[in-house]
Amino acid sequence: MVTGDNLMTARAIAIECGIINPTDTNSLVMNGSDFIEKIGGIVCKNCKTKICDCPTDEDTSLKLKKPIRVDTVANGAAFDEIIHRLDVMSRSRPEDKYAMVVGLIERGNVVAVTGDGTNDAPALKKADVGFAMGIAGT
């Protein structure tokens, strides 16, 4: 579960929904900012930097004769260590959600994302399946 709710609220909802068992000591609940810090964020696979001048579309790539930017998790080993225990990510920002989607897809997972705001657009677009909710967002 990836949510913008605070950690305590997210944990309570996850318990109520059966996502986590409160007695499971292996279950990990963490804030999005801690997740990003541990995995090093997203970088360009070609340049290994967060910001680069690699084109993001095929037309520009062909015109400039440069490879298209491909996003990747900076510290894949840390992502792998966290992802098997992470059940809830709280206080998630758009970049946290996007990093989660990128990391999961890189590892061969099929990813579905639901979102209710424009801040969810990067993760919705990157996911294999994206469900954007309407005006109410509920």
Side-chain angles (χ1 to χ4, degrees):
M1 180 172 101
V2 179
T3 179
D5 289 330
N6 72 57
L7 195 126
M8 297 304 290
T9 301
R11 183 188 303 274
I13 292 168
I15 289 169
E16 189 174 321
C17 293
I19 294 170
I20 61 173
N21 179 335
T23 61
D24 183 359
T25 58
N26 198 37
S27 180
L28 182 60
V29 178
M30 70 187 324
N31 281 323
S33 58
D34 296 330
F35 172 74
I36 281 290
E37 184 179 318
K38 290 185 186 303
I39 68 163
I42 295 294
V43 297
C44 174
K45 193 176 258 187
N46 303 316
C47 304
K48 305 292 186 227
T49 59
K50 291 182 183 195
I51 299 172
C52 69
D53 62 352
C54 290
T56 57
D57 64 278
E58 191 172 341
D59 289 342
T60 307
S61 172
L62 292 171
K63 192 185 310 181
L64 298 176
K65 296 183 172 71
K66 291 179 116 183
I68 293 178
R69 179 183 171 106
V70 177
D71 288 336
T72 188
V73 172
N75 186 341
F79 184 92
D80 292 339
E81 185 179 310
I82 292 168
I83 200 63
H84 297 294
R85 294 184 50 228
L86 183 61
D87 291 319
V88 179
M89 189 163 66
S90 61
R91 285 288 183 224
S92 299
R93 303 163 299 175
E95 59 266 29
D96 307 329
K97 297 172 187 180
Y98 183 76
M100 174 68 73
V101 172
V102 168
L104 289 170
I105 289 174
E106 282 183 322
R107 282 146 184 83
N109 294 283
V110 174
V111 180
V113 173
T114 60
D116 64 354
T118 56
N119 62 336
D120 295 315
L124 284 164
K125 185 177 179 182
K126 183 71 174 177
D128 298 296
V129 177
F131 292 98
M133 293 186 268
I135 297 168
T138 56

